[in-house]
Amino acid sequence: MLVTLLGAVFLRGFREAIGLAVFLVTVYLMLNLVTIGVGFYQILNNPIVVANWQTALFARHSNPLLMLGVAALLFPKLALGLSGFETGVAVMPLVQGSSSDTPGQPKGRIYNTHKLLTTAAVIMSFFLITSSFVTTLLIPGPEFQYGGAANGRALAYLAHLYLGNAFGNVYDLSTIAILWFAGASAMAGLLNIVPRYLPRYGMAPNWARATRPLVLVYIAIAFAVTILFRANVEAQGGAYATGVLILMSSAAFAVTLSARHHR
């Protein structure tokens, strides 16, 4: 039902989809900010949790190098938190430039895109670091394991624990909405790139220039992925993180070759 609604929103219009995305993201970030703020308040009132965490950490990983090695193995999971950057670059042609921009030198658009990505990086880094900090210190380790109350929903666990079920339920609904509309960022990027570039280079049929048929194709793919992975977020997470890492790594490699060529 949610995938169908996502397709309906994009069939209605691109501007309407972006407007809804802005609303959902704003509400979600505000709820996260409140939850994380309450988490820090609890830590300040109970500083012993910091000492307990350090003791447990060095008891399990006494060698700092081993600790870094484990962290490196877990790093690919952070790709899920970095996945907004590739779509931010993909929608660059939609960023407003300056009146002096030319097709060959769109300096204003490039500058504004830098501001867009910098703002996204600051927001994402802030929430990734602070949420990791409060959830690690305030949630017992067993609750993170499979079947635990915090497995896959650590901040929701804190929201219910410290702010009550009423706020926690609102947070849960907001999380469902943001996960549902996370596909909108990829959809926006694809709907911008494919009609604009792929048919021109013979990489897609001419009907791909039309937005609405593409929406139907992407929604059909979304249904197939959802069914194949049995709508399991964790099962899809590994495939998604792998795709994001490959995309960003190959893009970095391509930019490196381009920079060397221009020098």
PDB file of all heavy atoms in Angstrom, residues 6-7 9-10 14 17-18 20-22 24-25 87 91 177-191 219:
ATOM      1  N   LEU A   6       3.414   5.900  -2.814  1.00  0.00           N
ATOM      2  CA  LEU A   6       4.598   6.629  -3.277  1.00  0.00           C
ATOM      3  C   LEU A   6       4.514   6.876  -4.778  1.00  0.00           C
ATOM      4  O   LEU A   6       4.794   7.989  -5.251  1.00  0.00           O
ATOM      5  CB  LEU A   6       5.859   5.836  -2.940  1.00  0.00           C
ATOM      6  CG  LEU A   6       7.190   6.471  -3.365  1.00  0.00           C
ATOM      7  CD1 LEU A   6       7.417   7.773  -2.627  1.00  0.00           C
ATOM      8  CD2 LEU A   6       8.350   5.510  -3.104  1.00  0.00           C
ATOM      9  N   GLY A   7       4.121   5.838  -5.525  1.00  0.00           N
ATOM     10  CA  GLY A   7       3.957   6.015  -6.967  1.00  0.00           C
ATOM     11  C   GLY A   7       2.876   7.024  -7.296  1.00  0.00           C
ATOM     12  O   GLY A   7       3.024   7.844  -8.218  1.00  0.00           O
ATOM     13  N   VAL A   9       1.964   9.597  -5.539  1.00  0.00           N
ATOM     14  CA  VAL A   9       2.465  10.951  -5.264  1.00  0.00           C
ATOM     15  C   VAL A   9       3.287  11.463  -6.438  1.00  0.00           C
ATOM     16  O   VAL A   9       3.134  12.610  -6.883  1.00  0.00           O
ATOM     17  CB  VAL A   9       3.298  10.962  -3.967  1.00  0.00           C
ATOM     18  CG1 VAL A   9       4.018  12.300  -3.794  1.00  0.00           C
ATOM     19  CG2 VAL A   9       2.405  10.701  -2.770  1.00  0.00           C
ATOM     20  N   PHE A  10       4.156  10.612  -6.998  1.00  0.00           N
ATOM     21  CA  PHE A  10       4.997  11.044  -8.111  1.00  0.00           C
ATOM     22  C   PHE A  10       4.200  11.174  -9.403  1.00  0.00           C
ATOM     23  O   PHE A  10       4.544  11.990 -10.259  1.00  0.00           O
ATOM     24  CB  PHE A  10       6.174  10.085  -8.297  1.00  0.00           C
ATOM     25  CG  PHE A  10       7.365  10.456  -7.468  1.00  0.00           C
ATOM     26  CD1 PHE A  10       7.541   9.925  -6.207  1.00  0.00           C
ATOM     27  CD2 PHE A  10       8.311  11.349  -7.939  1.00  0.00           C
ATOM     28  CE1 PHE A  10       8.635  10.270  -5.423  1.00  0.00           C
ATOM     29  CE2 PHE A  10       9.404  11.705  -7.173  1.00  0.00           C
ATOM     30  CZ  PHE A  10       9.568  11.163  -5.913  1.00  0.00           C
ATOM     31  N   PHE A  14       6.020  16.147  -9.573  1.00  0.00           N
ATOM     32  CA  PHE A  14       7.338  16.178  -8.934  1.00  0.00           C
ATOM     33  C   PHE A  14       7.361  17.182  -7.783  1.00  0.00           C
ATOM     34  O   PHE A  14       7.880  16.906  -6.709  1.00  0.00           O
ATOM     35  CB  PHE A  14       8.398  16.536  -9.982  1.00  0.00           C
ATOM     36  CG  PHE A  14       9.808  16.336  -9.511  1.00  0.00           C
ATOM     37  CD1 PHE A  14      10.418  15.102  -9.615  1.00  0.00           C
ATOM     38  CD2 PHE A  14      10.524  17.388  -8.964  1.00  0.00           C
ATOM     39  CE1 PHE A  14      11.725  14.916  -9.183  1.00  0.00           C
ATOM     40  CE2 PHE A  14      11.824  17.217  -8.526  1.00  0.00           C
ATOM     41  CZ  PHE A  14      12.419  15.983  -8.642  1.00  0.00           C
ATOM     42  N   ALA A  17       5.643  15.899  -4.709  1.00  0.00           N
ATOM     43  CA  ALA A  17       6.443  14.878  -4.024  1.00  0.00           C
ATOM     44  C   ALA A  17       7.536  15.514  -3.173  1.00  0.00           C
ATOM     45  O   ALA A  17       7.753  15.116  -2.017  1.00  0.00           O
ATOM     46  CB  ALA A  17       7.055  13.928  -5.051  1.00  0.00           C
ATOM     47  N   ILE A  18       8.211  16.518  -3.708  1.00  0.00           N
ATOM     48  CA  ILE A  18       9.277  17.178  -2.962  1.00  0.00           C
ATOM     49  C   ILE A  18       8.710  17.939  -1.771  1.00  0.00           C
ATOM     50  O   ILE A  18       9.298  17.952  -0.682  1.00  0.00           O
ATOM     51  CB  ILE A  18      10.070  18.126  -3.884  1.00  0.00           C
ATOM     52  CG1 ILE A  18      10.724  17.332  -5.027  1.00  0.00           C
ATOM     53  CG2 ILE A  18      11.129  18.883  -3.095  1.00  0.00           C
ATOM     54  CD1 ILE A  18      11.634  16.218  -4.570  1.00  0.00           C
ATOM     55  N   LEU A  20       6.034  17.191  -0.003  1.00  0.00           N
ATOM     56  CA  LEU A  20       5.719  16.210   1.036  1.00  0.00           C
ATOM     57  C   LEU A  20       6.992  15.710   1.709  1.00  0.00           C
ATOM     58  O   LEU A  20       7.029  15.510   2.943  1.00  0.00           O
ATOM     59  CB  LEU A  20       4.935  15.045   0.429  1.00  0.00           C
ATOM     60  CG  LEU A  20       4.522  13.915   1.388  1.00  0.00           C
ATOM     61  CD1 LEU A  20       3.689  14.457   2.544  1.00  0.00           C
ATOM     62  CD2 LEU A  20       3.754  12.831   0.631  1.00  0.00           C
ATOM     63  N   ALA A  21       8.050  15.508   0.924  1.00  0.00           N
ATOM     64  CA  ALA A  21       9.322  15.043   1.478  1.00  0.00           C
ATOM     65  C   ALA A  21       9.881  16.055   2.478  1.00  0.00           C
ATOM     66  O   ALA A  21      10.366  15.677   3.554  1.00  0.00           O
ATOM     67  CB  ALA A  21      10.328  14.802   0.352  1.00  0.00           C
ATOM     68  N   VAL A  22       9.822  17.336   2.147  1.00  0.00           N
ATOM     69  CA  VAL A  22      10.330  18.382   3.045  1.00  0.00           C
ATOM     70  C   VAL A  22       9.570  18.360   4.371  1.00  0.00           C
ATOM     71  O   VAL A  22      10.169  18.443   5.448  1.00  0.00           O
ATOM     72  CB  VAL A  22      10.214  19.768   2.377  1.00  0.00           C
ATOM     73  CG1 VAL A  22      10.514  20.881   3.392  1.00  0.00           C
ATOM     74  CG2 VAL A  22      11.170  19.867   1.202  1.00  0.00           C
ATOM     75  N   LEU A  24       7.880  15.777   5.779  1.00  0.00           N
ATOM     76  CA  LEU A  24       8.181  14.561   6.544  1.00  0.00           C
ATOM     77  C   LEU A  24       9.565  14.619   7.170  1.00  0.00           C
ATOM     78  O   LEU A  24       9.755  14.221   8.331  1.00  0.00           O
ATOM     79  CB  LEU A  24       8.063  13.335   5.633  1.00  0.00           C
ATOM     80  CG  LEU A  24       6.663  12.978   5.133  1.00  0.00           C
ATOM     81  CD1 LEU A  24       6.730  11.808   4.162  1.00  0.00           C
ATOM     82  CD2 LEU A  24       5.741  12.650   6.294  1.00  0.00           C
ATOM     83  N   VAL A  25      10.542  15.120   6.421  1.00  0.00           N
ATOM     84  CA  VAL A  25      11.912  15.187   6.933  1.00  0.00           C
ATOM     85  C   VAL A  25      12.003  16.175   8.086  1.00  0.00           C
ATOM     86  O   VAL A  25      12.671  15.916   9.096  1.00  0.00           O
ATOM     87  CB  VAL A  25      12.895  15.569   5.802  1.00  0.00           C
ATOM     88  CG1 VAL A  25      14.265  15.920   6.371  1.00  0.00           C
ATOM     89  CG2 VAL A  25      13.031  14.433   4.808  1.00  0.00           C
ATOM     90  N   THR A  87      22.248  11.031  -4.242  1.00  0.00           N
ATOM     91  CA  THR A  87      21.028  11.627  -4.787  1.00  0.00           C
ATOM     92  C   THR A  87      21.115  13.147  -4.755  1.00  0.00           C
ATOM     93  O   THR A  87      20.517  13.828  -5.578  1.00  0.00           O
ATOM     94  CB  THR A  87      19.789  11.157  -4.003  1.00  0.00           C
ATOM     95  OG1 THR A  87      20.038  11.317  -2.604  1.00  0.00           O
ATOM     96  CG2 THR A  87      19.491   9.700  -4.280  1.00  0.00           C
ATOM     97  N   VAL A  91      20.496  15.384  -8.295  1.00  0.00           N
ATOM     98  CA  VAL A  91      19.514  16.444  -8.549  1.00  0.00           C
ATOM     99  C   VAL A  91      20.191  17.794  -8.764  1.00  0.00           C
ATOM    100  O   VAL A  91      19.529  18.833  -8.750  1.00  0.00           O
ATOM    101  CB  VAL A  91      18.485  16.562  -7.395  1.00  0.00           C
ATOM    102  CG1 VAL A  91      17.686  15.286  -7.262  1.00  0.00           C
ATOM    103  CG2 VAL A  91      19.169  16.910  -6.077  1.00  0.00           C
ATOM    104  N   ALA A 177       6.920   6.707   8.109  1.00  0.00           N
ATOM    105  CA  ALA A 177       6.732   7.643   6.998  1.00  0.00           C
ATOM    106  C   ALA A 177       8.051   7.976   6.318  1.00  0.00           C
ATOM    107  O   ALA A 177       8.132   8.049   5.083  1.00  0.00           O
ATOM    108  CB  ALA A 177       6.051   8.916   7.502  1.00  0.00           C
ATOM    109  N   ILE A 178       9.118   8.152   7.124  1.00  0.00           N
ATOM    110  CA  ILE A 178      10.397   8.544   6.529  1.00  0.00           C
ATOM    111  C   ILE A 178      11.022   7.367   5.788  1.00  0.00           C
ATOM    112  O   ILE A 178      11.674   7.540   4.751  1.00  0.00           O
ATOM    113  CB  ILE A 178      11.349   9.113   7.603  1.00  0.00           C
ATOM    114  CG1 ILE A 178      12.345  10.096   6.974  1.00  0.00           C
ATOM    115  CG2 ILE A 178      12.112   8.024   8.324  1.00  0.00           C
ATOM    116  CD1 ILE A 178      11.751  11.396   6.580  1.00  0.00           C
ATOM    117  N   LEU A 179      10.858   6.147   6.317  1.00  0.00           N
ATOM    118  CA  LEU A 179      11.351   4.965   5.600  1.00  0.00           C
ATOM    119  C   LEU A 179      10.577   4.761   4.303  1.00  0.00           C
ATOM    120  O   LEU A 179      11.144   4.391   3.272  1.00  0.00           O
ATOM    121  CB  LEU A 179      11.232   3.719   6.483  1.00  0.00           C
ATOM    122  CG  LEU A 179      12.248   3.586   7.612  1.00  0.00           C
ATOM    123  CD1 LEU A 179      11.877   2.432   8.528  1.00  0.00           C
ATOM    124  CD2 LEU A 179      13.649   3.391   7.055  1.00  0.00           C
ATOM    125  N   TRP A 180       9.263   5.011   4.372  1.00  0.00           N
ATOM    126  CA  TRP A 180       8.437   4.911   3.162  1.00  0.00           C
ATOM    127  C   TRP A 180       8.913   5.900   2.107  1.00  0.00           C
ATOM    128  O   TRP A 180       9.111   5.542   0.946  1.00  0.00           O
ATOM    129  CB  TRP A 180       6.975   5.189   3.536  1.00  0.00           C
ATOM    130  CG  TRP A 180       6.102   5.554   2.379  1.00  0.00           C
ATOM    131  CD1 TRP A 180       5.908   4.827   1.236  1.00  0.00           C
ATOM    132  CD2 TRP A 180       5.288   6.724   2.234  1.00  0.00           C
ATOM    133  NE1 TRP A 180       5.024   5.476   0.390  1.00  0.00           N
ATOM    134  CE2 TRP A 180       4.628   6.647   1.000  1.00  0.00           C
ATOM    135  CE3 TRP A 180       5.054   7.824   3.062  1.00  0.00           C
ATOM    136  CZ2 TRP A 180       3.759   7.632   0.541  1.00  0.00           C
ATOM    137  CZ3 TRP A 180       4.178   8.803   2.619  1.00  0.00           C
ATOM    138  CH2 TRP A 180       3.550   8.705   1.378  1.00  0.00           C
ATOM    139  N   PHE A 181       9.151   7.149   2.527  1.00  0.00           N
ATOM    140  CA  PHE A 181       9.469   8.181   1.553  1.00  0.00           C
ATOM    141  C   PHE A 181      10.954   8.262   1.255  1.00  0.00           C
ATOM    142  O   PHE A 181      11.395   9.100   0.466  1.00  0.00           O
ATOM    143  CB  PHE A 181       8.957   9.543   2.039  1.00  0.00           C
ATOM    144  CG  PHE A 181       8.324  10.345   0.947  1.00  0.00           C
ATOM    145  CD1 PHE A 181       7.047  10.040   0.506  1.00  0.00           C
ATOM    146  CD2 PHE A 181       8.989  11.394   0.351  1.00  0.00           C
ATOM    147  CE1 PHE A 181       6.452  10.766  -0.511  1.00  0.00           C
ATOM    148  CE2 PHE A 181       8.405  12.130  -0.661  1.00  0.00           C
ATOM    149  CZ  PHE A 181       7.136  11.822  -1.096  1.00  0.00           C
ATOM    150  N   ALA A 182      11.768   7.389   1.890  1.00  0.00           N
ATOM    151  CA  ALA A 182      13.196   7.366   1.552  1.00  0.00           C
ATOM    152  C   ALA A 182      13.389   7.029   0.077  1.00  0.00           C
ATOM    153  O   ALA A 182      14.338   7.488  -0.569  1.00  0.00           O
ATOM    154  CB  ALA A 182      13.922   6.362   2.425  1.00  0.00           C
ATOM    155  N   GLY A 183      12.471   6.223  -0.458  1.00  0.00           N
ATOM    156  CA  GLY A 183      12.537   5.912  -1.883  1.00  0.00           C
ATOM    157  C   GLY A 183      12.316   7.119  -2.769  1.00  0.00           C
ATOM    158  O   GLY A 183      12.688   7.109  -3.944  1.00  0.00           O
ATOM    159  N   ALA A 184      11.745   8.186  -2.201  1.00  0.00           N
ATOM    160  CA  ALA A 184      11.493   9.383  -3.004  1.00  0.00           C
ATOM    161  C   ALA A 184      12.784  10.050  -3.443  1.00  0.00           C
ATOM    162  O   ALA A 184      12.860  10.619  -4.532  1.00  0.00           O
ATOM    163  CB  ALA A 184      10.642  10.369  -2.207  1.00  0.00           C
ATOM    164  N   SER A 185      13.836   9.985  -2.587  1.00  0.00           N
ATOM    165  CA  SER A 185      15.100  10.629  -2.958  1.00  0.00           C
ATOM    166  C   SER A 185      15.723   9.928  -4.160  1.00  0.00           C
ATOM    167  O   SER A 185      16.195  10.582  -5.098  1.00  0.00           O
ATOM    168  CB  SER A 185      16.065  10.617  -1.771  1.00  0.00           C
ATOM    169  OG  SER A 185      16.352   9.288  -1.380  1.00  0.00           O
ATOM    170  N   ALA A 186      15.707   8.585  -4.134  1.00  0.00           N
ATOM    171  CA  ALA A 186      16.233   7.837  -5.288  1.00  0.00           C
ATOM    172  C   ALA A 186      15.353   8.061  -6.514  1.00  0.00           C
ATOM    173  O   ALA A 186      15.856   8.219  -7.638  1.00  0.00           O
ATOM    174  CB  ALA A 186      16.305   6.359  -4.950  1.00  0.00           C
ATOM    175  N   MET A 187      14.040   8.080  -6.300  1.00  0.00           N
ATOM    176  CA  MET A 187      13.112   8.300  -7.406  1.00  0.00           C
ATOM    177  C   MET A 187      13.346   9.666  -8.046  1.00  0.00           C
ATOM    178  O   MET A 187      13.362   9.806  -9.268  1.00  0.00           O
ATOM    179  CB  MET A 187      11.675   8.207  -6.905  1.00  0.00           C
ATOM    180  CG  MET A 187      10.626   8.347  -7.989  1.00  0.00           C
ATOM    181  SD  MET A 187      10.172   6.777  -8.722  1.00  0.00           S
ATOM    182  CE  MET A 187       9.082   6.115  -7.488  1.00  0.00           C
ATOM    183  N   ALA A 188      13.542  10.697  -7.211  1.00  0.00           N
ATOM    184  CA  ALA A 188      13.774  12.046  -7.724  1.00  0.00           C
ATOM    185  C   ALA A 188      15.040  12.095  -8.579  1.00  0.00           C
ATOM    186  O   ALA A 188      15.058  12.706  -9.657  1.00  0.00           O
ATOM    187  CB  ALA A 188      13.869  13.036  -6.564  1.00  0.00           C
ATOM    188  N   GLY A 189      16.106  11.438  -8.079  1.00  0.00           N
ATOM    189  CA  GLY A 189      17.343  11.422  -8.845  1.00  0.00           C
ATOM    190  C   GLY A 189      17.208  10.693 -10.168  1.00  0.00           C
ATOM    191  O   GLY A 189      17.653  11.181 -11.216  1.00  0.00           O
ATOM    192  N   LEU A 190      16.560   9.536 -10.151  1.00  0.00           N
ATOM    193  CA  LEU A 190      16.387   8.756 -11.381  1.00  0.00           C
ATOM    194  C   LEU A 190      15.492   9.472 -12.385  1.00  0.00           C
ATOM    195  O   LEU A 190      15.763   9.474 -13.597  1.00  0.00           O
ATOM    196  CB  LEU A 190      15.805   7.381 -11.045  1.00  0.00           C
ATOM    197  CG  LEU A 190      16.746   6.425 -10.324  1.00  0.00           C
ATOM    198  CD1 LEU A 190      15.984   5.221  -9.797  1.00  0.00           C
ATOM    199  CD2 LEU A 190      17.866   5.976 -11.248  1.00  0.00           C
ATOM    200  N   LEU A 191      14.414  10.090 -11.894  1.00  0.00           N
ATOM    201  CA  LEU A 191      13.508  10.806 -12.797  1.00  0.00           C
ATOM    202  C   LEU A 191      14.165  12.042 -13.393  1.00  0.00           C
ATOM    203  O   LEU A 191      13.724  12.554 -14.429  1.00  0.00           O
ATOM    204  CB  LEU A 191      12.235  11.218 -12.047  1.00  0.00           C
ATOM    205  CG  LEU A 191      11.302  10.075 -11.650  1.00  0.00           C
ATOM    206  CD1 LEU A 191      10.134  10.602 -10.823  1.00  0.00           C
ATOM    207  CD2 LEU A 191      10.785   9.341 -12.878  1.00  0.00           C
ATOM    208  N   ILE A 219       8.174   1.842  -9.776  1.00  0.00           N
ATOM    209  CA  ILE A 219       7.289   1.292  -8.759  1.00  0.00           C
ATOM    210  C   ILE A 219       7.190  -0.228  -8.914  1.00  0.00           C
ATOM    211  O   ILE A 219       7.163  -0.975  -7.927  1.00  0.00           O
ATOM    212  CB  ILE A 219       5.896   1.933  -8.844  1.00  0.00           C
ATOM    213  CG1 ILE A 219       5.986   3.392  -8.407  1.00  0.00           C
ATOM    214  CG2 ILE A 219       4.887   1.196  -7.980  1.00  0.00           C
ATOM    215  CD1 ILE A 219       6.488   3.592  -6.995  1.00  0.00           C
TER     216      ILE A 219
END
